[in-house]
Amino acid sequence: MKARANKEQMDRDYHIGTIDPKKVPVEELLKYYRDMLLIRRFEEKSGQVYGMGKIAGFCHLYIGQEAVVVGMQSALTPEDTVITAYRDHGHMLACGMDPKGVMAELMGKATGYSKGKGGSMHMFSREKNFFGGHGIVGANVSLGTGIGFAHKYRNSKAVSVTYYGDGAGNQGQVYESFNMAALWKLPVIYVLENNKYSMGTSVERHAAMPDQLYNRGSVFGIPGHVVDGMDILAVKAAADMAVKYVRDGNGPIILEMKTYRYRGHSMSDPAKYRSKEEVESVKEAADPIQHLLAMLQLHKVTEDDLKQIDKEIKEIVNQSVEFSDASPEPDPSELYTDICI
Amino acid sequence: MKARANKEQMDRDYHIGTIDPKKVPVEELLKYYRDMLLIRRFEEKSGQVYGMGKIAGFCHLYIGQEAVVVGMQSALTPEDTVITAYRDHGHMLACGMDPKGVMAELMGKATGYSKGKGGSMHMFSREKNFFGGHGIVGANVSLGTGIGFAHKYRNSKAVSVTYYGDGAGNQGQVYESFNMAALWKLPVIYVLENNKYSMGTSVERHAAMPDQLYNRGSVFGIPGHVVDGMDILAVKAAADMAVKYVRDGNGPIILEMKTYRYRGHSMSDPAKYRSKEEVESVKEAADPIQHLLAMLQLHKVTEDDLKQIDKEIKEIVNQSVEFSDASPEPDPSELYTDICI
Amino acid sequence: MSNTITVRDALRDAMAEEMRLDPDVFLLGEEVAQYNGAYKVSQGMLDEFGPNRVVDSPITEHGFAGLGVGAAFTGLKPIIEFMTFNFAMQAIDQIINSAAKTLYMSGGQISCPIVFRGPNGAAMRVGAQHSQCYASWYAHCPGLKVVSPYDAISAKGLLKAAIRDPNPVVFLENEMMYGEHFPIPEQWDEIVELGKAAVVRQGSDVTVVSYSFMVGKCLQAAEQLAAEGIDVEVIDLRTLRPLDKDTIIQSVRKTNRLVSVEEGWTVAGIGSEIAAIAMEEAFDDLDAPVVRVTGADAPMPYAANLVSLTIPRVDQIVDAIKQVTYKS
Amino acid sequence: MSNTITVRDALRDAMAEEMRLDPDVFLLGEEVAQYNGAYKVSQGMLDEFGPNRVVDSPITEHGFAGLGVGAAFTGLKPIIEFMTFNFAMQAIDQIINSAAKTLYMSGGQISCPIVFRGPNGAAMRVGAQHSQCYASWYAHCPGLKVVSPYDAISAKGLLKAAIRDPNPVVFLENEMMYGEHFPIPEQWDEIVELGKAAVVRQGSDVTVVSYSFMVGKCLQAAEQLAAEGIDVEVIDLRTLRPLDKDTIIQSVRKTNRLVSVEEGWTVAGIGSEIAAIAMEEAFDDLDAPVVRVTGADAPMPYAANLVSLTIPRVDQIVDAIKQVTYKS
Ligand SMILES: Cc1ncc(C[n+]2csc(CCOP(=O)(O)OP(=O)(O)O)c2C)c(N)n1
Ligand SMILES: Cc1ncc(C[n+]2csc(CCOP(=O)(O)OP(=O)(O)O)c2C)c(N)n1
Ligand SMILES: [Mg+2]
Ligand SMILES: [Mg+2]
């Protein structure tokens, strides 16, 4: 009975609201628009620059998933931390990292966030509390759990936002982390970006009970919620609730973001495992930026305002490339620095 | 609706019955008695022999948990396979392995199941389809899943019975295995022997939602059941159902056996993390052999019959030690054999 | 190009041929089936063998390696593909503790006829977490056989031998080699015995031992030095465990000079072992100390200029050879 | 015994002292708190520091190692205890790919001040899966420091240095050493610098390098040989990465003979590295080839008689020393 009452109380205190786009200040919507557009254009540019041979190795674009990071970020404060895997450009930009430093890193330049030594998958910013940028699928989940452990250890109110993919969600260390996070009530928001594919393997083929991914923490007592990851305000609403839930000391929570990546898994993936129609239909029906544009229509935003933003973003992105082009490669001596302190 | 009907059908076809001890042929009960008593006496003797310095290293006794393996084994056929971790003497005896070979291995003799090269934690019998005997907590769960994979690959009807502990149940590879077993409908019975402790850590301290361990496969679609692991017939009933469920091609299933180990984790553990009273109360209220004896009372079994059995078992156990004492150590050349074929 | 074959195709052919011969052989790993392999090594295999024998697994290296080992304990012959060996670190407990040690721990009862394969070492600027060479780690461990082929023809013969071998074999490929074409000779060995190195270039002045990708660089260095009058013998180790000491020592007895070349890290690497063996078995034959050419003792950087400083280059190998021949 | 201390207590004291000094230091692992450590190394620490700083973890090495690394990224200084290093294989991806490489991959931004510690190598007949020595694996990898102490006093100073070190340190203890008593000298270094070997016995005829448990056997061998007129210098490497080449080479320049002794497997072991270094840096100083004494190239057996053939014995070390001094 007590557990039951508790549960009802919890459901009341922590339910995901609906945000009416008309009631959101237009400046806020425009900020989301800017942030999402920056990611989109930055990623498109990365793809081009990769094609020109200026970026190498693995490069995983975030196009299609922009609403997830921008919506999550809207609920965070600067002391909150973020960690993700290798599809990380969007997360970095959303965290406020400088597109110049990100692009320079992609291009292997000394001015990059990792001095050119990390590359696309390995960037960090202490200043912005962005903890990477990790290439081993699943590893960032334990790391993010540890960052949450540190927040709690320090009696900080900070939250560790820990992103992972639907494919990553099968890795054993995810469950090891869930158990510890639940046992010790660690302040972690696990954000599962379910873009329906783990490389070429669809979620139905890699996960038993593919429609229950949000629920995979339930057996450890971690509540999970499904969120429309293509809708910035749905993400924001979920993020607001999750941040409150975790900051209130209730322990971890899982948000499963239903989303979609438009491009191949990495630049070298022709993505033959799905039809063009499938991709096009998502773009048409659910593109997160189009969706936000529709909300902006409810406000007094002119075509010119939007064009102006587009122009500014384009400028920022172009400048990031110019900056990187003009930047030097790391000094050869850098090969042997930063191995140990 | 279909899923619902399906579920109802499943519940009807696969529910754990209750076995009335009065209706069980006395020979069957006596066989259980023999088998359980053999394990008990064998383990007591192992403890003694360890104390005499004739067994070394880690040695994990199974006393208290006898009903689990004997009950499970009662539902299996010879082509079914068994795998467990390091607390394995009971499993081996229940599989029909020769106590002489087991004791000889414990004593590091050439006549042991592993020629003295494995020790307590590492014995195997191809003949009895016993696949070990593994020292790394959790590893045997993936291995057992692979044995199930092999059964299915070969279109065999065999079932892979895969034992693991409550502590092991936190290991990530268990969930990786669950996902694959469920995805591919592998014929595996996961037998979780919840003896309430992972070494010195009680289940409440190592597992989030400690009363839900049976349920930890549910998010992968694996049904789980709690079984009174101190009651041989309850175990048998669960085993019968599980074997039928798996053999019918429904994929894996989990049986959580509530049980208890009487001795320390290994011979070197004084078990200060629990009170003597706790141990005594289990022994008094729920000892699996006492419980079985009570059932035997319902049949016409005389004290003399039981004494005769006790005597025979004692004899078998003593002979296993005599045999081992008389056996030679492995030839020194064995150091370099069996590394590669 | 009809008389050539790529390493990629050679590996696929090896697997496919063995699978045709033996129904107990199957391939399991991430993206091996519908995607035809992350690096297209298993191209066409799903079509030929179907989803029961070419199995796409979830990203759960630890679990599926353990699953493969369990299946091998029963006598099946799994080929477990790691998308790269970097990810096999997640599974290394199953490779070492379960696959490599069980024959011993069972007193010879339970064998583990499994092949773990996939690309090892650096690829094209894929960063620190995707570029490690695990050759010396695996070579360290009894109970395993460790193979790392260079050319397409031997890769095929070695992989076929590995699949037939009743022991666990770690088969270290190289992503940058997959697309390399090698001529198909008139005659060749269908099966290349494990544990045997090959003298891939005869020479009298100095012995260079290497494996995998680096063999090609050694051959280039040898060509270059031939022009300068230094006659280099190049040995492709092929199998790293057990190491073919005899072939190395025999060559050193002839040339009296030894250079080892590998892309992996220096400390306790394959080159360290080669040097120690030379010390133990050919000390009096050595006219110069063995020189190790290895990858830089640093995590793999991303920037192009730094990467070019990490993996041994032909000029470094040339310098090392000159050093041991006192021609530098 | 009041003027002695066990390795066990020394390690505990090192941790406790550092935890008193620095609130960012905490201990996490299986059975470290309520049980006071599976091998009682953390005796009394829960009582003193409470459950927030001495944390019992579930059996999830991969997860809790990753958790420790994540916490270290934020500046905390975790001590992660593995019940034994055999179980760290489950976590080795986090140790190598996350802990060791992130400073580099982040261009120096994210450091990882963590200590991974626990017993390494063989204990008393615990079988193949519980007896592996991981020294050479970890020593292979840049980005780590690797320490393996012998005596109690240096163990304490080294562990304190490891905890203060801003880099990930793999600290390899030995279960059979925990109960060993060592005299407490009048004066000693509270902190023992990482990266420095110690000449623990001076001698002029031959240099023996070793680490951990085996140092004791080497000292015994040296005593025995002293009686026979062979003057043995024994070097305790202490840190395996970075290796203190200078101390080794300096000694070899004096003795012209070198033996390496370790309990780990032969191939690509620490001894291989020592031999390669001697080759590179002291070839002309060597009057005999370096001899490696290593554990048997086999999984660890269980039977008492076989076990006694695996870990180097004093007589083997004596023989090796005689061999390099041509006294055999
Ligand atoms: C441990 C490990 N295994 C395999 C890989 C190769 N790999 C990189 S990304 C990826 C797919 C991951 O899919 P998901 O988690 O859904 O993330 P997404 O790429 O969709 O963002 C794979 C298999 C890896 N990097 N690490
Ligand atoms: C990977 C790994 N970590 C730690 C250990 C040490 N260890 C051996 S048994 C054990 C406790 C396991 O408890 P549980 O799974 O409940 O099984 P039980 O001993 O109760 O039968 C631990 C921590 C190990 N053998 N392997
Ligand atoms: Mg995905
Ligand atoms: Mg238990």
Side-chain angles (χ1 to χ4, degrees), chain A residues 60 65 86-87 135-137 164-169 171 193 195 197-199 206 261 265, chain C residues 30-31 59 61 83 87 90 130:
Chain A
H60 309 84
Q65 304 182 209
Y86 44 83
R87 194 178 301 289
I136 302 301
V137 168
Y164 64 110
D166 50 291
Q171 284 283 43
E193 298 193 70
N195 61 9
Y197 291 89
S198 169
M199 230 179 126
H206 73 65
R261 76 167 145 72
H265 168 71
Chain C
E30 293 157 18
E31 309 293 348
I59 314 181
E61 284 83 2
M83 199 177 281
F87 315 143
Q90 313 237 353
H130 284 70

